[in-house]
Amino acid sequence: MSGALGHSATLFALTGAALVGIGLYGFVARTHLLRRVLAFNVIGSGVFLFFGATGFRRPDLGADPAPQALIITGIIVALSLTALALALITRYAALSGRSSLEDEAPDDEAPDAGDERGGG
Amino acid sequence: MIAVTACLVLPLAAALAAIPLGRRAPRLALVAAPLILLAALAVATEIWRTGPAQLPVGGWLPPLGIALVVDGLSAAFLLTGAIVTGAVVLFATSIFSTPDRETRAGFAFWPLLLAMWGALNAVFLSGDLFNLYVALELLTLTAVALVALDGRRETVAAAIRYMLFALFGSLAYLLGVTLIYARYGALDIALLRILAEPDAPTFVAAALMTIGLAAKTALFPFHAWLPPAHAGAPAPASAMLSALVTKASFYIVVRIWFDVLPVAGNEALAMILGAMGVGAILFGSVLAIGQERLKLVVAYSTVAQLGYLFLMFPLAGSGGEAQPWAAGAWNGGVVHALSHAFAKAAMFLCAGLFAEAIGHDRMDGLKGVARTMPLTVFAFGLAAISLMGLPPSGGFTAKYLLLTAAFAGGNHFFALVMLAGGLLAAIYLFRPLERAFAKPAEGSDITPIARWRQAVPLVLAGAAIALGVFSAVPFDLLRIGRADAAQEGLE
């Protein structure tokens, strides 16, 4: 296994891990629903990048195609989840005029933070 | 094993066909449901006769192909899912059938319910960690959509909250799967059982997958999404969500811990799961006592009952040597999941009927319903017996096994919590029952409910009782192809 270290696959894996970290911060620290969906997609990209890097964990055997097939499936799943989440968020915004859930304080930097209808 | 294929193909094909059929979809569901139930029954009898089976899809063997696997555990969940969903289909025809005009909820319900059935069966039949992920996500998509079905602001908010937990859960699970692949280059459960070793990557992967699945199961402290989501959905959808959707992610945790990676069974992690289960039992039960809406009482009761399931992991022991009580804990946890599925589905359907009869679901409106709807109150009472863990119900058998395992393993604290949970359940379920038998309030207006509709939850509650009376049958079924770790304890 140590042969894989130093290979560019390690760089991909580390980048993937960093993306997971960045996305996780956004997912937990932000309450704006669109930001959370974006954060979900950043984490997802990180996981897929990491997954792709695992396809090269045995350089002597060449690239393993299985992770790529799984990543494509994973992207379709993430896309469907994102589409449903966006549809729900749009509906919720139309019904309540809010961009974050009711018991959570809206993000300070959210562009529409000033438009919040008080409380609800 | 054409029946295995039918369990997957029939519900998914029916879900697709239900979209163009529109208003005729209920009739399609009424035709498809008995067929899928028969297929599940055929799978179970086949397993009963010939033992566990593996079906390589398209003739490709793992690790290249993806195998469907049937053993006693999958057959038991498959059958429970088919009985509950079949009853829900029958029940829902009286709510979401609008032959004269098309409604949004009536149109969306049938494809979603049938696709949910397909996703549940896919979870129970998958023999591959990534296949489980895809099935679980299909399940989440349909479950979130069902929560938002009536489109009110509160239910859309509940669906979004559910969605956020589910998104977190799916990513944590997927990350765990990725780590497993990076470590072993395989995702097939049978292969991993041979390959798995107790090292750091395996342990981290198991922890990530478990946390993700716990968020999807609504295990305390990830429970915040469950009560508004389950209480806000229409009654047939609530029944599916509480009875089966939460069990699907629990089923995967059981698979991971006992079948895939028993070597990762770490005492500390098992104790954390047990502590979360204790939190769920106490927190969910106490909050259930304070609710003034019946559906919220039932939903908080789900939070509490899910806690018992996770006591199975610390109680199955993790001392390293064979432990005679491990099989008891495993059986107890699984039978609890099955009997809770029947009892909770019955209870949500009862709550739906009460709400329809009195026009709202506040507890004070229940006064005197025992006189006008005796069948429904009887069904609610039977389901309550199983939830409280009184004999001769499935809930009693499960709790008895878990308690025995707790005392045998010296885990007296868990035993105390389980006993306290039973007492608290008696309190929160006594409140609606006490009102049901009270004198009717003056001028109360009760819409009559057709007798056959009241019989549907009664059948489900009866199944929860039957699991206790004929407990030898589920035990023999569950014994087929049971993982070694389920008999000897987690290593």
mmCIF file of all heavy atoms in Angstrom, chain A residues 27 36 40 43 47-48 50-51 54 57 64 66-67 70 77 81 84 88 92 95-96 102-103, chain B residues 130 133 137 141 144 148 151 153 156-157 160-161 163-164 167 171 174-175 178 181-182 185 187:
data_model
loop_
_atom_site.group_PDB
_atom_site.id
_atom_site.type_symbol
_atom_site.label_atom_id
_atom_site.label_comp_id
_atom_site.label_asym_id
_atom_site.label_seq_id
_atom_site.Cartn_x
_atom_site.Cartn_y
_atom_site.Cartn_z
ATOM 1 N N PHE A 27 -22.276 23.100 5.638
ATOM 2 C CA PHE A 27 -23.536 22.398 5.910
ATOM 3 C C PHE A 27 -23.990 22.643 7.345
ATOM 4 O O PHE A 27 -25.175 22.800 7.622
ATOM 5 C CB PHE A 27 -23.339 20.906 5.663
ATOM 6 C CG PHE A 27 -24.599 20.121 5.556
ATOM 7 C CD1 PHE A 27 -25.354 20.155 4.398
ATOM 8 C CD2 PHE A 27 -25.047 19.356 6.614
ATOM 9 C CE1 PHE A 27 -26.527 19.443 4.298
ATOM 10 C CE2 PHE A 27 -26.226 18.642 6.522
ATOM 11 C CZ PHE A 27 -26.962 18.684 5.360
ATOM 12 N N ARG A 36 -26.955 25.360 2.119
ATOM 13 C CA ARG A 36 -26.796 23.999 2.635
ATOM 14 C C ARG A 36 -26.818 22.977 1.503
ATOM 15 O O ARG A 36 -26.073 22.008 1.522
ATOM 16 C CB ARG A 36 -27.909 23.695 3.632
ATOM 17 C CG ARG A 36 -27.628 24.349 4.961
ATOM 18 C CD ARG A 36 -28.606 23.887 5.975
ATOM 19 N NE ARG A 36 -28.016 23.972 7.306
ATOM 20 C CZ ARG A 36 -28.688 23.731 8.422
ATOM 21 N NH1 ARG A 36 -29.948 23.377 8.358
ATOM 22 N NH2 ARG A 36 -28.106 23.838 9.573
ATOM 23 N N PHE A 40 -23.873 20.498 0.532
ATOM 24 C CA PHE A 40 -24.064 19.062 0.294
ATOM 25 C C PHE A 40 -23.354 18.645 -0.984
ATOM 26 O O PHE A 40 -22.691 17.601 -1.038
ATOM 27 C CB PHE A 40 -25.560 18.749 0.213
ATOM 28 C CG PHE A 40 -25.885 17.428 -0.416
ATOM 29 C CD1 PHE A 40 -25.648 16.252 0.261
ATOM 30 C CD2 PHE A 40 -26.417 17.365 -1.696
ATOM 31 C CE1 PHE A 40 -25.941 15.030 -0.324
ATOM 32 C CE2 PHE A 40 -26.708 16.144 -2.280
ATOM 33 C CZ PHE A 40 -26.470 14.980 -1.591
ATOM 34 N N ILE A 43 -19.544 18.569 -0.466
ATOM 35 C CA ILE A 43 -19.134 17.331 0.222
ATOM 36 C C ILE A 43 -19.192 16.164 -0.755
ATOM 37 O O ILE A 43 -18.282 15.344 -0.829
ATOM 38 C CB ILE A 43 -20.046 17.019 1.426
ATOM 39 C CG1 ILE A 43 -20.109 18.199 2.382
ATOM 40 C CG2 ILE A 43 -19.545 15.788 2.174
ATOM 41 C CD1 ILE A 43 -21.036 17.959 3.550
ATOM 42 N N VAL A 47 -16.295 13.520 -1.793
ATOM 43 C CA VAL A 47 -16.375 12.061 -1.644
ATOM 44 C C VAL A 47 -16.100 11.383 -2.989
ATOM 45 O O VAL A 47 -15.355 10.396 -3.066
ATOM 46 C CB VAL A 47 -17.755 11.635 -1.097
ATOM 47 C CG1 VAL A 47 -17.865 10.124 -1.057
ATOM 48 C CG2 VAL A 47 -17.981 12.212 0.294
ATOM 49 N N PHE A 48 -16.679 11.938 -4.057
ATOM 50 C CA PHE A 48 -16.486 11.313 -5.377
ATOM 51 C C PHE A 48 -15.030 11.400 -5.811
ATOM 52 O O PHE A 48 -14.484 10.455 -6.387
ATOM 53 C CB PHE A 48 -17.393 11.972 -6.419
ATOM 54 C CG PHE A 48 -18.853 11.769 -6.150
ATOM 55 C CD1 PHE A 48 -19.775 12.777 -6.380
ATOM 56 C CD2 PHE A 48 -19.316 10.563 -5.635
ATOM 57 C CE1 PHE A 48 -21.118 12.580 -6.103
ATOM 58 C CE2 PHE A 48 -20.656 10.370 -5.369
ATOM 59 C CZ PHE A 48 -21.554 11.384 -5.605
ATOM 60 N N PHE A 50 -12.442 11.541 -3.835
ATOM 61 C CA PHE A 50 -11.735 10.571 -3.010
ATOM 62 C C PHE A 50 -11.948 9.158 -3.553
ATOM 63 O O PHE A 50 -11.020 8.360 -3.673
ATOM 64 C CB PHE A 50 -12.241 10.678 -1.569
ATOM 65 C CG PHE A 50 -11.504 9.808 -0.602
ATOM 66 C CD1 PHE A 50 -10.333 10.246 -0.015
ATOM 67 C CD2 PHE A 50 -11.986 8.552 -0.287
ATOM 68 C CE1 PHE A 50 -9.652 9.444 0.862
ATOM 69 C CE2 PHE A 50 -11.302 7.734 0.594
ATOM 70 C CZ PHE A 50 -10.127 8.183 1.164
ATOM 71 N N PHE A 51 -13.219 8.887 -3.897
ATOM 72 C CA PHE A 51 -13.573 7.576 -4.430
ATOM 73 C C PHE A 51 -12.784 7.310 -5.712
ATOM 74 O O PHE A 51 -12.233 6.219 -5.921
ATOM 75 C CB PHE A 51 -15.076 7.525 -4.707
ATOM 76 C CG PHE A 51 -15.687 6.165 -4.568
ATOM 77 C CD1 PHE A 51 -17.058 6.022 -4.411
ATOM 78 C CD2 PHE A 51 -14.913 5.014 -4.582
ATOM 79 C CE1 PHE A 51 -17.635 4.781 -4.274
ATOM 80 C CE2 PHE A 51 -15.488 3.762 -4.446
ATOM 81 C CZ PHE A 51 -16.851 3.651 -4.301
ATOM 82 N N THR A 54 -9.293 6.274 -5.109
ATOM 83 C CA THR A 54 -9.101 4.900 -4.652
ATOM 84 C C THR A 54 -8.940 3.937 -5.829
ATOM 85 O O THR A 54 -8.419 2.843 -5.660
ATOM 86 C CB THR A 54 -10.272 4.404 -3.791
ATOM 87 O OG1 THR A 54 -11.443 4.347 -4.605
ATOM 88 C CG2 THR A 54 -10.521 5.300 -2.611
ATOM 89 N N ARG A 57 -5.285 2.873 -6.244
ATOM 90 C CA ARG A 57 -4.534 2.573 -5.017
ATOM 91 C C ARG A 57 -3.488 1.494 -5.239
ATOM 92 O O ARG A 57 -2.628 1.294 -4.401
ATOM 93 C CB ARG A 57 -5.516 2.183 -3.913
ATOM 94 C CG ARG A 57 -6.150 0.873 -4.115
ATOM 95 C CD ARG A 57 -7.496 0.736 -3.455
ATOM 96 N NE ARG A 57 -8.135 -0.393 -4.077
ATOM 97 C CZ ARG A 57 -7.948 -1.638 -3.682
ATOM 98 N NH1 ARG A 57 -7.253 -1.884 -2.619
ATOM 99 N NH2 ARG A 57 -8.507 -2.623 -4.326
ATOM 100 N N ASP A 64 -8.338 1.042 -11.601
ATOM 101 C CA ASP A 64 -9.480 0.164 -11.362
ATOM 102 C C ASP A 64 -10.743 0.890 -11.829
ATOM 103 O O ASP A 64 -11.039 1.984 -11.351
ATOM 104 C CB ASP A 64 -9.532 -0.134 -9.850
ATOM 105 C CG ASP A 64 -10.763 -0.916 -9.459
ATOM 106 O OD1 ASP A 64 -11.530 -1.278 -10.359
ATOM 107 O OD2 ASP A 64 -10.939 -1.158 -8.254
ATOM 108 N N ALA A 66 -13.913 0.181 -11.473
ATOM 109 C CA ALA A 66 -15.142 0.067 -10.684
ATOM 110 C C ALA A 66 -15.538 1.380 -9.997
ATOM 111 O O ALA A 66 -16.698 1.774 -10.061
ATOM 112 C CB ALA A 66 -15.002 -1.059 -9.672
ATOM 113 N N PRO A 67 -14.571 2.108 -9.368
ATOM 114 C CA PRO A 67 -14.988 3.351 -8.714
ATOM 115 C C PRO A 67 -15.653 4.334 -9.677
ATOM 116 O O PRO A 67 -16.609 5.020 -9.307
ATOM 117 C CB PRO A 67 -13.679 3.927 -8.169
ATOM 118 C CG PRO A 67 -12.812 2.751 -7.968
ATOM 119 C CD PRO A 67 -13.174 1.799 -9.067
ATOM 120 N N LEU A 70 -19.181 3.472 -10.056
ATOM 121 C CA LEU A 70 -19.932 3.780 -8.837
ATOM 122 C C LEU A 70 -20.115 5.285 -8.691
ATOM 123 O O LEU A 70 -21.164 5.758 -8.244
ATOM 124 C CB LEU A 70 -19.211 3.207 -7.618
ATOM 125 C CG LEU A 70 -19.050 1.682 -7.631
ATOM 126 C CD1 LEU A 70 -18.309 1.213 -6.400
ATOM 127 C CD2 LEU A 70 -20.405 1.013 -7.715
ATOM 128 N N VAL A 77 -27.523 9.903 -8.080
ATOM 129 C CA VAL A 77 -28.254 9.948 -6.814
ATOM 130 C C VAL A 77 -28.193 11.356 -6.218
ATOM 131 O O VAL A 77 -29.210 11.930 -5.817
ATOM 132 C CB VAL A 77 -27.672 8.913 -5.828
ATOM 133 C CG1 VAL A 77 -28.226 9.124 -4.444
ATOM 134 C CG2 VAL A 77 -27.960 7.503 -6.294
ATOM 135 N N LEU A 81 -31.311 13.948 -5.443
ATOM 136 C CA LEU A 81 -31.551 14.502 -4.108
ATOM 137 C C LEU A 81 -31.528 16.023 -4.171
ATOM 138 O O LEU A 81 -32.365 16.698 -3.555
ATOM 139 C CB LEU A 81 -30.488 14.001 -3.133
ATOM 140 C CG LEU A 81 -30.569 12.538 -2.705
ATOM 141 C CD1 LEU A 81 -29.339 12.147 -1.930
ATOM 142 C CD2 LEU A 81 -31.807 12.300 -1.850
ATOM 143 N N LEU A 84 -34.780 17.357 -5.714
ATOM 144 C CA LEU A 84 -35.904 17.313 -4.775
ATOM 145 C C LEU A 84 -35.749 18.390 -3.709
ATOM 146 O O LEU A 84 -36.705 19.099 -3.370
ATOM 147 C CB LEU A 84 -35.998 15.925 -4.127
ATOM 148 C CG LEU A 84 -37.102 15.784 -3.077
ATOM 149 C CD1 LEU A 84 -38.473 15.988 -3.685
ATOM 150 C CD2 LEU A 84 -37.045 14.429 -2.400
ATOM 151 N N LEU A 88 -38.345 21.500 -2.970
ATOM 152 C CA LEU A 88 -38.946 21.731 -1.649
ATOM 153 C C LEU A 88 -38.623 23.132 -1.148
ATOM 154 O O LEU A 88 -39.487 23.827 -0.597
ATOM 155 C CB LEU A 88 -38.424 20.695 -0.645
ATOM 156 C CG LEU A 88 -39.036 19.308 -0.698
ATOM 157 C CD1 LEU A 88 -38.288 18.381 0.234
ATOM 158 C CD2 LEU A 88 -40.504 19.359 -0.307
ATOM 159 N N TYR A 92 -41.150 26.058 -0.215
ATOM 160 C CA TYR A 92 -41.154 26.604 1.136
ATOM 161 C C TYR A 92 -40.979 28.120 1.104
ATOM 162 O O TYR A 92 -41.668 28.855 1.824
ATOM 163 C CB TYR A 92 -40.036 25.956 1.954
ATOM 164 C CG TYR A 92 -39.949 26.441 3.369
ATOM 165 C CD1 TYR A 92 -40.965 26.140 4.277
ATOM 166 C CD2 TYR A 92 -38.878 27.208 3.799
ATOM 167 C CE1 TYR A 92 -40.899 26.582 5.576
ATOM 168 C CE2 TYR A 92 -38.806 27.651 5.105
ATOM 169 C CZ TYR A 92 -39.821 27.336 5.989
ATOM 170 O OH TYR A 92 -39.759 27.781 7.274
ATOM 171 N N LEU A 95 -44.187 29.694 0.129
ATOM 172 C CA LEU A 95 -45.229 29.625 1.164
ATOM 173 C C LEU A 95 -44.921 30.546 2.336
ATOM 174 O O LEU A 95 -45.827 31.123 2.934
ATOM 175 C CB LEU A 95 -45.359 28.189 1.675
ATOM 176 C CG LEU A 95 -46.039 27.185 0.753
ATOM 177 C CD1 LEU A 95 -45.853 25.779 1.284
ATOM 178 C CD2 LEU A 95 -47.515 27.505 0.618
ATOM 179 N N SER A 96 -43.639 30.655 2.704
ATOM 180 C CA SER A 96 -43.314 31.347 3.947
ATOM 181 C C SER A 96 -42.502 32.611 3.731
ATOM 182 O O SER A 96 -42.367 33.413 4.647
ATOM 183 C CB SER A 96 -42.535 30.409 4.871
ATOM 184 O OG SER A 96 -41.267 30.161 4.300
ATOM 185 N N GLU A 102 -37.631 27.875 10.291
ATOM 186 C CA GLU A 102 -38.158 28.911 11.176
ATOM 187 C C GLU A 102 -37.410 29.071 12.488
ATOM 188 O O GLU A 102 -37.270 30.173 12.985
ATOM 189 C CB GLU A 102 -39.625 28.619 11.473
ATOM 190 C CG GLU A 102 -40.364 28.310 10.195
ATOM 191 C CD GLU A 102 -41.782 28.775 10.206
ATOM 192 O OE1 GLU A 102 -42.343 28.886 11.296
ATOM 193 O OE2 GLU A 102 -42.311 29.033 9.117
ATOM 194 N N ASP A 103 -36.953 27.937 13.076
ATOM 195 C CA ASP A 103 -36.342 28.080 14.395
ATOM 196 C C ASP A 103 -34.841 28.317 14.294
ATOM 197 O O ASP A 103 -34.137 28.240 15.281
ATOM 198 C CB ASP A 103 -36.629 26.847 15.252
ATOM 199 C CG ASP A 103 -36.255 25.573 14.527
ATOM 200 O OD1 ASP A 103 -35.877 25.665 13.336
ATOM 201 O OD2 ASP A 103 -36.328 24.498 15.127
ATOM 202 N N PHE B 130 -22.697 -0.771 -1.851
ATOM 203 C CA PHE B 130 -23.064 0.361 -2.698
ATOM 204 C C PHE B 130 -24.500 0.234 -3.192
ATOM 205 O O PHE B 130 -25.237 1.226 -3.285
ATOM 206 C CB PHE B 130 -22.099 0.485 -3.881
ATOM 207 C CG PHE B 130 -22.235 1.802 -4.592
ATOM 208 C CD1 PHE B 130 -21.627 2.933 -4.088
ATOM 209 C CD2 PHE B 130 -22.995 1.919 -5.746
ATOM 210 C CE1 PHE B 130 -21.768 4.149 -4.716
ATOM 211 C CE2 PHE B 130 -23.137 3.135 -6.377
ATOM 212 C CZ PHE B 130 -22.522 4.267 -5.866
ATOM 213 N N TYR B 133 -26.650 1.567 -0.705
ATOM 214 C CA TYR B 133 -26.667 3.028 -0.735
ATOM 215 C C TYR B 133 -27.707 3.530 -1.731
ATOM 216 O O TYR B 133 -28.527 4.394 -1.414
ATOM 217 C CB TYR B 133 -25.275 3.550 -1.092
ATOM 218 C CG TYR B 133 -25.232 5.003 -1.465
ATOM 219 C CD1 TYR B 133 -25.378 5.981 -0.492
ATOM 220 C CD2 TYR B 133 -25.050 5.404 -2.782
ATOM 221 C CE1 TYR B 133 -25.342 7.319 -0.829
ATOM 222 C CE2 TYR B 133 -25.013 6.731 -3.121
ATOM 223 C CZ TYR B 133 -25.160 7.691 -2.147
ATOM 224 O OH TYR B 133 -25.143 9.023 -2.489
ATOM 225 N N GLU B 137 -31.146 5.615 -0.912
ATOM 226 C CA GLU B 137 -31.423 6.961 -1.429
ATOM 227 C C GLU B 137 -32.765 7.008 -2.144
ATOM 228 O O GLU B 137 -33.499 7.994 -2.030
ATOM 229 C CB GLU B 137 -30.303 7.409 -2.370
ATOM 230 C CG GLU B 137 -28.993 7.625 -1.668
ATOM 231 C CD GLU B 137 -29.157 8.336 -0.344
ATOM 232 O OE1 GLU B 137 -29.578 9.500 -0.333
ATOM 233 O OE2 GLU B 137 -28.869 7.727 0.687
ATOM 234 N N LEU B 141 -35.767 9.540 -1.158
ATOM 235 C CA LEU B 141 -36.478 10.412 -2.102
ATOM 236 C C LEU B 141 -37.980 10.248 -1.950
ATOM 237 O O LEU B 141 -38.728 11.231 -1.867
ATOM 238 C CB LEU B 141 -36.062 10.063 -3.539
ATOM 239 C CG LEU B 141 -34.722 10.580 -4.009
ATOM 240 C CD1 LEU B 141 -34.400 9.999 -5.374
ATOM 241 C CD2 LEU B 141 -34.747 12.091 -4.089
ATOM 242 N N VAL B 144 -39.232 11.545 1.701
ATOM 243 C CA VAL B 144 -39.301 13.000 1.852
ATOM 244 C C VAL B 144 -40.496 13.546 1.071
ATOM 245 O O VAL B 144 -41.237 14.407 1.556
ATOM 246 C CB VAL B 144 -37.982 13.651 1.377
ATOM 247 C CG1 VAL B 144 -38.133 15.153 1.301
ATOM 248 C CG2 VAL B 144 -36.847 13.286 2.307
ATOM 249 N N ALA B 148 -44.053 15.670 2.412
ATOM 250 C CA ALA B 148 -44.511 16.971 1.919
ATOM 251 C C ALA B 148 -45.805 16.861 1.133
ATOM 252 O O ALA B 148 -46.224 17.832 0.496
ATOM 253 C CB ALA B 148 -43.422 17.589 1.040
ATOM 254 N N GLY B 151 -48.556 19.510 1.161
ATOM 255 C CA GLY B 151 -48.122 20.808 0.655
ATOM 256 C C GLY B 151 -48.335 21.987 1.587
ATOM 257 O O GLY B 151 -48.160 23.129 1.164
ATOM 258 N N ARG B 153 -47.417 24.583 4.672
ATOM 259 C CA ARG B 153 -46.122 25.164 5.006
ATOM 260 C C ARG B 153 -45.387 24.329 6.054
ATOM 261 O O ARG B 153 -44.191 24.069 5.926
ATOM 262 C CB ARG B 153 -46.371 26.576 5.519
ATOM 263 C CG ARG B 153 -45.144 27.280 5.993
ATOM 264 C CD ARG B 153 -45.538 28.655 6.453
ATOM 265 N NE ARG B 153 -44.483 29.230 7.263
ATOM 266 C CZ ARG B 153 -44.538 30.466 7.730
ATOM 267 N NH1 ARG B 153 -45.591 31.209 7.483
ATOM 268 N NH2 ARG B 153 -43.561 30.935 8.456
ATOM 269 N N VAL B 156 -44.037 21.077 4.531
ATOM 270 C CA VAL B 156 -42.883 21.298 3.651
ATOM 271 C C VAL B 156 -41.650 21.567 4.499
ATOM 272 O O VAL B 156 -40.554 21.054 4.227
ATOM 273 C CB VAL B 156 -43.160 22.464 2.672
ATOM 274 C CG1 VAL B 156 -41.919 22.765 1.848
ATOM 275 C CG2 VAL B 156 -44.306 22.115 1.745
ATOM 276 N N ALA B 157 -41.819 22.355 5.585
ATOM 277 C CA ALA B 157 -40.690 22.611 6.482
ATOM 278 C C ALA B 157 -40.212 21.309 7.108
ATOM 279 O O ALA B 157 -38.996 21.066 7.208
ATOM 280 C CB ALA B 157 -41.088 23.608 7.566
ATOM 281 N N ILE B 160 -38.214 19.411 4.624
ATOM 282 C CA ILE B 160 -36.867 19.960 4.412
ATOM 283 C C ILE B 160 -35.951 19.553 5.558
ATOM 284 O O ILE B 160 -34.801 19.164 5.357
ATOM 285 C CB ILE B 160 -36.928 21.498 4.285
ATOM 286 C CG1 ILE B 160 -37.633 21.873 2.983
ATOM 287 C CG2 ILE B 160 -35.536 22.102 4.317
ATOM 288 C CD1 ILE B 160 -37.789 23.339 2.764
ATOM 289 N N ARG B 161 -36.488 19.616 6.785
ATOM 290 C CA ARG B 161 -35.662 19.230 7.936
ATOM 291 C C ARG B 161 -35.246 17.754 7.821
ATOM 292 O O ARG B 161 -34.092 17.392 8.048
ATOM 293 C CB ARG B 161 -36.460 19.455 9.223
ATOM 294 C CG ARG B 161 -35.610 19.478 10.475
ATOM 295 C CD ARG B 161 -36.470 19.744 11.678
ATOM 296 N NE ARG B 161 -37.174 21.005 11.595
ATOM 297 C CZ ARG B 161 -36.660 22.165 11.999
ATOM 298 N NH1 ARG B 161 -35.468 22.198 12.510
ATOM 299 N NH2 ARG B 161 -37.349 23.265 11.888
ATOM 300 N N MET B 163 -35.017 16.124 5.072
ATOM 301 C CA MET B 163 -34.088 16.047 3.945
ATOM 302 C C MET B 163 -32.659 16.381 4.391
ATOM 303 O O MET B 163 -31.708 15.710 3.982
ATOM 304 C CB MET B 163 -34.555 17.051 2.893
ATOM 305 C CG MET B 163 -33.779 17.047 1.621
ATOM 306 S SD MET B 163 -34.682 16.121 0.383
ATOM 307 C CE MET B 163 -33.366 15.661 -0.713
ATOM 308 N N LEU B 164 -32.515 17.417 5.245
ATOM 309 C CA LEU B 164 -31.171 17.819 5.679
ATOM 310 C C LEU B 164 -30.489 16.692 6.452
ATOM 311 O O LEU B 164 -29.318 16.384 6.215
ATOM 312 C CB LEU B 164 -31.249 19.089 6.531
ATOM 313 C CG LEU B 164 -31.628 20.359 5.765
ATOM 314 C CD1 LEU B 164 -31.815 21.520 6.722
ATOM 315 C CD2 LEU B 164 -30.569 20.696 4.727
ATOM 316 N N LEU B 167 -29.620 13.972 3.956
ATOM 317 C CA LEU B 167 -28.456 14.301 3.125
ATOM 318 C C LEU B 167 -27.174 14.049 3.899
ATOM 319 O O LEU B 167 -26.224 13.450 3.391
ATOM 320 C CB LEU B 167 -28.514 15.772 2.680
ATOM 321 C CG LEU B 167 -29.584 16.160 1.671
ATOM 322 C CD1 LEU B 167 -29.508 17.639 1.360
ATOM 323 C CD2 LEU B 167 -29.466 15.358 0.398
ATOM 324 N N LEU B 171 -24.328 11.098 2.968
ATOM 325 C CA LEU B 171 -22.918 11.395 2.701
ATOM 326 C C LEU B 171 -22.008 10.637 3.656
ATOM 327 O O LEU B 171 -20.968 10.101 3.250
ATOM 328 C CB LEU B 171 -22.666 12.898 2.823
ATOM 329 C CG LEU B 171 -23.221 13.712 1.655
ATOM 330 C CD1 LEU B 171 -23.109 15.188 1.943
ATOM 331 C CD2 LEU B 171 -22.499 13.359 0.371
ATOM 332 N N LEU B 174 -21.908 7.100 2.494
ATOM 333 C CA LEU B 174 -21.143 6.947 1.259
ATOM 334 C C LEU B 174 -19.647 7.057 1.526
ATOM 335 O O LEU B 174 -18.839 6.315 0.954
ATOM 336 C CB LEU B 174 -21.586 8.001 0.238
ATOM 337 C CG LEU B 174 -20.933 7.887 -1.134
ATOM 338 C CD1 LEU B 174 -21.295 6.564 -1.784
ATOM 339 C CD2 LEU B 174 -21.339 9.033 -2.034
ATOM 340 N N LEU B 175 -19.273 7.976 2.429
ATOM 341 C CA LEU B 175 -17.861 8.125 2.769
ATOM 342 C C LEU B 175 -17.334 6.837 3.398
ATOM 343 O O LEU B 175 -16.214 6.388 3.092
ATOM 344 C CB LEU B 175 -17.689 9.310 3.726
ATOM 345 C CG LEU B 175 -16.286 9.886 3.854
ATOM 346 C CD1 LEU B 175 -15.732 10.252 2.495
ATOM 347 C CD2 LEU B 175 -16.301 11.115 4.758
ATOM 348 N N THR B 178 -16.810 4.353 0.711
ATOM 349 C CA THR B 178 -15.598 4.674 -0.040
ATOM 350 C C THR B 178 -14.353 4.182 0.689
ATOM 351 O O THR B 178 -13.440 3.617 0.083
ATOM 352 C CB THR B 178 -15.513 6.202 -0.229
ATOM 353 O OG1 THR B 178 -16.747 6.661 -0.754
ATOM 354 C CG2 THR B 178 -14.403 6.571 -1.168
ATOM 355 N N TYR B 181 -13.998 0.547 0.303
ATOM 356 C CA TYR B 181 -13.485 0.171 -1.013
ATOM 357 C C TYR B 181 -11.992 0.474 -1.108
ATOM 358 O O TYR B 181 -11.216 -0.303 -1.673
ATOM 359 C CB TYR B 181 -14.243 0.899 -2.127
ATOM 360 C CG TYR B 181 -13.913 0.307 -3.477
ATOM 361 C CD1 TYR B 181 -14.562 -0.829 -3.921
ATOM 362 C CD2 TYR B 181 -12.908 0.851 -4.272
ATOM 363 C CE1 TYR B 181 -14.235 -1.416 -5.124
ATOM 364 C CE2 TYR B 181 -12.566 0.272 -5.479
ATOM 365 C CZ TYR B 181 -13.240 -0.867 -5.904
ATOM 366 O OH TYR B 181 -12.897 -1.453 -7.093
ATOM 367 N N ALA B 182 -11.594 1.617 -0.544
ATOM 368 C CA ALA B 182 -10.177 1.979 -0.589
ATOM 369 C C ALA B 182 -9.340 0.945 0.157
ATOM 370 O O ALA B 182 -8.218 0.637 -0.236
ATOM 371 C CB ALA B 182 -9.975 3.359 0.025
ATOM 372 N N GLY B 185 -11.014 -3.007 -1.667
ATOM 373 C CA GLY B 185 -11.281 -3.178 -3.085
ATOM 374 C C GLY B 185 -12.492 -4.044 -3.359
ATOM 375 O O GLY B 185 -12.621 -4.634 -4.425
ATOM 376 N N LEU B 187 -16.964 -4.517 -2.275
ATOM 377 C CA LEU B 187 -18.122 -3.995 -1.559
ATOM 378 C C LEU B 187 -19.152 -5.082 -1.306
ATOM 379 O O LEU B 187 -20.185 -4.838 -0.710
ATOM 380 C CB LEU B 187 -18.767 -2.845 -2.361
ATOM 381 C CG LEU B 187 -17.889 -1.597 -2.473
ATOM 382 C CD1 LEU B 187 -18.495 -0.615 -3.458
ATOM 383 C CD2 LEU B 187 -17.700 -0.945 -1.127
#
